[in-house]
C-alpha cells in the first residue's frame, strides 16, 4: 500500500518530530493529541525550526508553507481512519498504549500497520489488547526524529513479517537507516546500551563524584560523545528516561538499570529536562546553566 497519509498519535517531543519528518518527505501527517495546546506548540516548534532554515537559505518561504500544509492537527482519534500508516508516540505507559491500540484497531483501515514508538514497552504486551496483534510493530525513532538516522524496527512475537517489511520500507522512504531486531526485546539495541550508560552517569552524580558539568565534560572529552550524558537525559526527558530504566530494571532485574532516586525526585519537582525548562540544566539561560540538585 502506498503511504500517502500517516497518522501520529501524541504530539510531544517524538510525535511532533515524526510528523515533521513525514511532511518533509511529502507524506501528509495527521498529528493527534489529547491536548490542543500541545498540538499548537508542536506546530509552532516545527515552524521555528523551518524559519531557521529559511534564514540560512536552505528553504524558501513557499517550501515552508507547503511542508506545514501537510501537517493537520486534531484531537480526534477517529482521524486514524484516513491513514495508510499509524504510529503511536504517547507517553511511555503500557496500560495507556494497550487501551489506545485496542481503539486504533477498531478505527484503522484493514491492513494498515499499527506502529509504536515505545522505547521499552513490550510489543506483545501492547498488542495483547487487540483481536489481531499481527499488524503491531515497534518502530523506534531517535530524538530528534528529523535528524537522527537510526530507526529500530522491533517485531513482537505475533507480528506479521509483512508489517515489519512495511515499517522498514517506510523508514527508508523517510530517509532513515533502519535496523530490525531478530526477535522481540525490551528497548531494542541502541536504547538499551545507552540506558545503562546514562544511568551510570546519574549514579556518579548522586554519589557526589562529579558535578553536572564535569560528568558531561568527562564523557564528551574522554569518550568522544557529541553531548554529555546528563544533557542527553535532559533532551530525552527525565520522566521518559526514568520510565525506560524502570521497565528495563523490572524486566531484566539487572542492577545496571536500577533507576536512581534522584530521577524520581526531579520528576516530582517538575524538572523534566529541556521540555519543562529545567532538568540537570536550567534552560531559562543561554547557555543553559548546570543545576545543583539536592
Ligand atoms: N523522548 C525521547 O527521546 C524518545 C526517544 C524515542 C522514543 N521515545 C518514546 O516515544 C514516546 C513518546 O515520548 P515523548 O518523549 O514524545 O513524550 P512526551 O511526554 O514529549 O509526549 C507525549 C505526548 O502524549 C500525549 N498523550 C498522552 N495521552 C494521550 C492520549 N490518550 N492520546 C493522545 N495523546 C496523548 C501527551 O499529551 C504528550 O503530548 C514514548 O513511548 C517514549 O518512550 C521517546
Amino acid at each position: 500500500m502506498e503511504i500517502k497519509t500517516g497518522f501520529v498519535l501524541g504530539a510531544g517531543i517524538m510525535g511532533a518530530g515524526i510528523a515533521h519528518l513525514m511532511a518533509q518527505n511529502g507524506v501528509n501527517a495527521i498529528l493527534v493529541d489529547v491536548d490542543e495546546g500541545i498540538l499548537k506548540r508542536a506546530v509552532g516548534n516545527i515552524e521555528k525550526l523551518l524559519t531557521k532554515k529559511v534564514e540560512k537559505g536552505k528553504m524558501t518561504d513557499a517550501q515552508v508553507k507547503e511542508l506545514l500544509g501537510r501537517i493537520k492537527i486534531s484531537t480526534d482519534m477517529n482521524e486514524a481512519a484516513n491513514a495508510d500508516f499509524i504510529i503511536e508516540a504517547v507517553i511511555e505507559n503500557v496500560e495507556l498504549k494497550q487501551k489506545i491500540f485496542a481503539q486504533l484497531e477498531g478505527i484503522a483501515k484493514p491492513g494498515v500497520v499499527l506502529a509504536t514508538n515505545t522505547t521499552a514497552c513490550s510489543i506483545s504486551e501492547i498488542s495483547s489488547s487487540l483481536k489481531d496483534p499481527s499488524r503491531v510493530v515497534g518502530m523506534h525513532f531517535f530524538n530528534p526524529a528529523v535528524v537522527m538516522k537510526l530507526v529500530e524496527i522491533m517485531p513482537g512475537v505475533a507480528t506479521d513479517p509483512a508489517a515489519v517489511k512495511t515499517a522498514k520500507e517506510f523508514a527508508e522512504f523517510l530517509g532513515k537507516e533502519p535496523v530490525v531486531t531478530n526477535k522481540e526485546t525490551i528497548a531494542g539495541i541502541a536504547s538499551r546500551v545507552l540506558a545503562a550508560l546514562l544511568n551510570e552517569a546519574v549514579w556518579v552524580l548522586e554519589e557526589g563524584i562529579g558535578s553536572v558539568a564535569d560528568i558531561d565534560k568527562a564523557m564528551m572529552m574522554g569518550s568522544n560523545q557529541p553531548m554529555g550524558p546528563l544533557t542527553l537525559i535532559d533532551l530525552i526527558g527525565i520522566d521518559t528516561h526514568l520510565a525506560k530504566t524502570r521497565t528495563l530494571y523490572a524486566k531484566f532485574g539487572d542492577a545496571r538499570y536500577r533507576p536512581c532516586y534522584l530521577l524520581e525526585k526531579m520528576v516530582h519537582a517538575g524538572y523534566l529536562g529541556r521540555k519543562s525548562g529545567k532538568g540537570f540544566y536550567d534552560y531559562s539561560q543561554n547557555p543553559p546553566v548546570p543545576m545543583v540538585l539536592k
Side-chain angles (χ1 to χ4, degrees):
M1 180 193 289
E2 196 193 343
I3 299 171
K4 286 192 182 145
T5 302
F7 175 88
V8 185
L9 190 68
I13 299 177
M14 294 309 295
I18 296 165
H20 178 173
L21 181 69
M22 285 181 181
Q24 184 172 288
N25 286 283
V27 177
N28 296 315
I30 308 169
L31 181 60
V32 171
D33 200 289
V34 280
D35 185 328
E36 197 150 355
I38 288 181
L39 283 165
K40 286 189 180 140
R41 195 179 67 192
V43 173
N45 287 342
I46 296 170
E47 202 168 354
K48 263 189 227 155
L49 289 173
L50 297 175
T51 306
K52 278 191 198 146
K53 286 201 168 183
V54 173
E55 283 162 10
K56 287 183 187 159
K58 290 183 177 169
M59 275 183 101
T60 63
D61 285 327
Q63 285 169 326
V64 170
K65 203 172 158 212
E66 198 184 329
L67 192 159
L68 289 172
R70 285 193 208 106
I71 302 175
K72 176 180 177 184
I73 54 171
S74 171
T75 52
D76 184 5
M77 275 261 288
N78 291 311
E79 290 276 0
N82 303 316
D84 309 313
F85 193 94
I86 290 177
I87 178 151
E88 164 276 317
V90 306
I91 48 169
E92 187 77 341
N93 175 311
V94 74
E95 288 86 15
L96 177 65
K97 289 182 193 283
Q98 283 171 330
K99 204 177 117 207
I100 280 169
F101 274 83
Q103 277 173 276
L104 287 173
E105 183 178 40
I107 302 169
K109 289 190 276 194
V112 166
V113 170
L114 308 178
T116 169
N117 190 50
T118 184
T119 305
C121 296
S122 148
I123 306 304
S124 294
E125 200 175 346
I126 293 176
S127 59
S128 63
S129 61
L130 273 70
K131 290 187 200 93
D132 173 16
S134 69
R135 55 174 165 158
V136 179
V137 64
M139 188 175 188
H140 186 244
F141 288 83
F142 288 74
N143 183 14
V146 178
V147 178
M148 300 295 284
K149 288 301 266 184
L150 179 65
V151 173
E152 284 186 349
I153 313 286
M154 295 182 274
V157 170
T159 304
D160 183 344
V164 174
K165 186 168 174 278
T166 304
K168 182 171 179 275
E169 285 172 359
F170 190 41
E172 283 164 348
F173 176 80
L174 296 173
K176 299 300 177 192
E177 294 282 350
V179 167
V180 181
T181 59
N182 289 332
K183 49 180 159 178
E184 172 160 356
T185 184
I186 298 293
I189 300 170
S191 271
R192 174 170 163 182
V193 174
L194 201 55
L197 186 146
L198 298 182
N199 219 27
E200 200 57 29
V202 182
W203 280 109
V204 167
L205 179 69
E206 176 75 354
E207 287 169 23
I209 293 164
S211 65
V212 167
D214 280 347
I215 292 167
D216 274 354
K217 181 177 170 186
M219 290 307 291
M220 285 195 296
M221 302 294 144
S223 80
N224 236 0
Q225 306 278 321
M227 70 175 78
L230 301 176
T231 300
L232 181 54
I233 300 177
D234 271 356
L235 188 68
I236 292 169
I238 309 287
D239 51 341
T240 304
H241 172 70
L242 176 61
K244 176 169 70 182
T245 49
R246 269 189 184 141
T247 308
L248 281 164
Y249 188 46
K251 300 279 180 198
F252 296 140
D254 188 324
R256 274 180 296 189
Y257 307 113
R258 184 162 70 94
C260 182
Y261 178 51
L262 174 63
L263 293 169
E264 205 172 305
K265 286 193 286 187
M266 290 173 78
V267 170
H268 286 316
Y271 294 6
L272 305 184
R274 203 175 265 272
K275 65 183 170 188
S276 73
K278 264 187 195 155
F280 290 108
Y281 291 83
D282 179 351
Y283 294 91
S284 65
Q285 309 196 44
N286 195 9
V289 177
M291 299 273 287
V292 178
L293 297 155
K294 295 185 190 118

